[in-house]
Every structure is written in C-alpha cells, then in structure tokens.
Amino acid sequence: MLTIADQSFHSRLLLGSGKFSTPQLMQQAIKASGSQLVTLAIKRLELDKPRNDLLTPLRAMTIQLLPNTSGAKTAKEAIFAAELARDALQTNWLKLEIHPDPRYLMPDPIETLAAAEQLVKLGFVVLPYCSADPVLCKRLEQVGCAAVMPLGAAIGSNQGIQTRAMLEIIIEQATVPVIIDAGLGAPSHAAAAMELGAAAVLVNTAIAASQDPVAMAGAFAQAVSAGRIAYKAGLAATQAYAASSPLTDFLAAL
Amino acid sequence: MHIMLNDTPLQLAAVSTLAQLLQQQQLNTEGLAIAVNDSVIAKRLWHEYQLQNHDQIQLFQIVTGG
C-alpha cells in the first residue's frame, strides 16, 4: 500500500489527465490504469466558450482528484492557484508545480520551496514537483511536504530516467514517499523507477499521447506492479563476469 | 453598479451578491472558483458576498492537466 499523509492507495501509478483526445478516452484510460490519484489543473474560465462537464464522471469513479498549480511562475501565483483549486474541488491535496520556463518546464526550486512552506502552514497536503536534487528534496520534506516528486526527465519528453544517480540518493534519504514524475515515456521506464525504490510514479503524456491510451494505461499498471515486486524481492547484484557454476560442473564430469 | 467579470465590463441592476451574479450568468458552479480583487472567496461565502462598484471578479475552472 502506498501511504501519503493519512491516505492509503493500492495503486502506485498516478495519472495526469491532460492531452487525452476525448474525455471518454481519459475516463477509460483512468479505469485501465487502476490509478486512484488523478491530477487536474485550474485555469481562468473563458466565458464565451461552452464548458464540458469534466467533474461529474470523474467524481463517479473511486479516485481522488489532485489539483495542480500548473501555469504558476512564482510562489505567489502558486499559492493563489492552490487556494482556487482547494475551493473548486473541496480538497486540500495539492500537486505544487512552479515552472517559469515555457520551453522545458523545469521546476523553479527556490519558488517551489518558498511556496511549499507557506502552503503547508495554510493546511495543504503538498506534493511538490521538483528537480532531482537530493538537498532540495530533503528541504521540501523538512518544511512538511507529504511526498516529493522529482523528475526523471523534462515533462512530456518521454526520455525515461535521466536522473538515476540523483534519484537513488533521494530515495535512500527520504522519509516521505518519492514519486517519480515527468519524463517516463514507456512502461519499462516506470518499471525501472519502481525497481529503484520509488514509492510511485506519475505518468501522463506517455499514456495520453500513445496510439491506444487505454491499452497503454494497462501496460503501465502492470509495469509499475512488476517493478514494485522486483524492488521488494531484491535484485541480484550486477557483476563484471559471468559465473555459471552448473556449466563448470558439467564439464568437470566428462 | 459596474463590475469586471474576467475582464469583461458588466453593468448590474438587480444583482447584489456573488451567488446572484452566477445565477444571472447561468454558470454551472461545479469545479468553479472565484476571486474578487485577487482574493479567493470561498464557495460557502458566495451567498453573503455583497458586490461593490468596480469589483474585479475572476472566475476559474478545473480543467484537465498533468
């Protein structure tokens, strides 16, 4: 079971709800993923455009909705977005993300730490998206974040785990769940993240932008489970040479 | 009374609270959040909040996103 703050989840796969071609496809993919935590965003209402009822079908599913602060460029903007999201969804859970850079969407560590500290004081359960920086992750934990969400690679890049060495240190030191967010482009990347000892992973683009998002959601679910079981089982050590004692014995018997 | 609703100027007559404004605009309140003059007004206060002349009202909604 994955436990974040006072909540437990069977699934260790968090799903982002963006980029699906239709709301129906998104719902089917959520179902196939088995995910119990699904992220949403908040933005200004465009009065001249019709609104889709996104929430009614999502509320009918047994999932927890996790609003994010995507679009915020500063701590101040993120806190404003957090307060709006809390009221809109009636949840104090929050995926904090602050990325002023529109090209790579790299999280701003200074603004993120400042916002996290404030938001914890305001009663939010804060899950910050952050760089794979062991010192930053420790600081986020110390100000009261319920988890840390370091990146595997740039958001939407599908490059897999480019930050492996740093993630290993973060996981070793963390006393809150480490959720690897961003950059996981294939089920094998998710499995690798879980084998490292991540508590969970968050996936969006790799599922939503695949040719068959529902099938891909199922593939990610299996990969996350397999990776977790492998981590618990303890991987055999890697070696520089091949040691095959049965073959040696066979030759000696001739 | 003149207000700004998401940057659109609006002249109000028989409307005095935020809740009445939403009703007049026929807005679905599911997933909606409101800030007046850059302060978030909680849902439970929409019935009480008295609109003032020149209030800047911003409406936000939950959308999909990673």
Side-chain angles (χ1 to χ4, degrees):
Chain A
M1 290 284 263
L2 166 67
T3 303
I4 305 171
D6 56 350
Q7 295 271 108
S8 291
F9 305 93
H10 294 288
S11 170
R12 293 177 180 273
L13 173 58
L14 282 68
L15 202 66
S17 65
K19 300 184 185 174
F20 286 95
S21 55
T22 67
Q24 291 72 22
L25 200 58
M26 176 189 73
Q27 286 159 38
Q28 289 166 14
I30 293 170
K31 231 172 248 173
S33 74
S35 179
Q36 295 167 289
L37 262 173
V38 175
T39 65
L40 292 163
I42 189 152
K43 71 168 208 177
R44 251 165 71 115
L45 179 67
E46 291 172 72
L47 287 165
D48 50 349
K49 287 193 181 156
R51 288 171 71 197
N52 289 328
D53 184 10
L54 171 71
L55 290 175
T56 306
L58 288 180
R59 288 204 195 277
M61 302 173 87
T62 51
I63 53 171
Q64 184 166 333
L65 302 176
L66 178 63
N68 69 30
T69 60
S70 178
K73 293 179 171 61
T74 62
K76 192 178 169 213
E77 288 177 8
I79 292 165
F80 183 57
E83 287 178 330
L84 289 166
R86 174 162 67 179
D87 199 55
L89 283 177
Q90 301 291 304
T91 175
N92 61 349
W93 281 51
L94 183 77
K95 181 186 165 192
L96 172 63
E97 45 182 304
I98 303 177
H99 26 73
D101 147 44
R103 184 167 160 87
Y104 296 105
L105 300 176
M106 284 295 148
D108 183 321
I110 296 157
E111 296 294 317
T112 301
L113 182 62
E117 189 165 14
Q118 281 294 314
L119 288 164
V120 168
K121 285 179 187 159
L122 291 169
F124 285 88
V125 173
V126 182
L127 289 71
Y129 169 58
C130 59
S131 342
D133 177 339
V135 177
L136 174 65
C137 285
K138 211 63 206 167
R139 292 287 299 269
L140 287 164
E141 192 181 308
Q142 284 162 358
V143 299
C145 291
V148 288
M149 304 183 77
L151 55 82
I155 294 179
S157 69
N158 296 328
Q159 290 174 6
I161 299 178
Q162 301 295 317
T163 54
R164 187 186 184 95
M166 294 301 114
L167 291 174
E168 283 174 350
I169 299 172
I170 292 166
I171 290 166
E172 184 207 329
Q173 294 182 340
T175 57
V176 294
V178 177
I179 302 167
I180 299 180
D181 182 8
L184 303 181
S188 56
H189 301 158
M194 298 308 294
E195 285 166 13
L196 281 183
V201 296
L202 190 149
V203 179
N204 188 348
T205 306
I207 292 174
S210 70
Q211 287 184 24
D212 184 343
V214 179
M216 190 59 81
F220 266 94
Q222 290 188 36
V224 168
S225 295
R228 179 65 185 177
I229 294 167
Y231 169 71
K232 296 288 276 185
L235 295 168
T238 54
Q239 296 180 114
Y241 53 90
S244 180
S245 47
L247 184 62
T248 312
D249 287 349
F250 167 69
L251 290 171
L254 284 175
Chain B
M1 176 163 56
H2 292 275
I3 61 156
M4 292 293 278
L5 186 63
N6 281 14
D7 298 334
T8 306
L10 215 60
Q11 169 85 39
L12 299 178
V15 167
S16 62
T17 67
L18 261 184
Q20 286 169 351
L21 174 68
L22 297 176
Q23 206 169 16
Q24 189 218 42
Q25 295 287 313
Q26 297 179 327
L27 285 164
N28 174 5
T29 57
E30 180 73 347
L32 200 73
I34 305 179
V36 179
N37 306 326
D38 296 328
S39 291
V40 180
I41 308 292
K43 267 196 173 77
R44 62 189 157 78
L45 300 175
W46 291 353
H47 282 279
E48 293 170 26
Y49 184 87
Q50 296 289 323
L51 293 166
Q52 310 288 320
N53 203 18
H54 305 303
D55 268 351
Q56 306 264 348
I57 296 158
Q58 291 185 81
L59 304 175
F60 295 84
Q61 67 171 331
I62 292 293
V63 294
T64 58

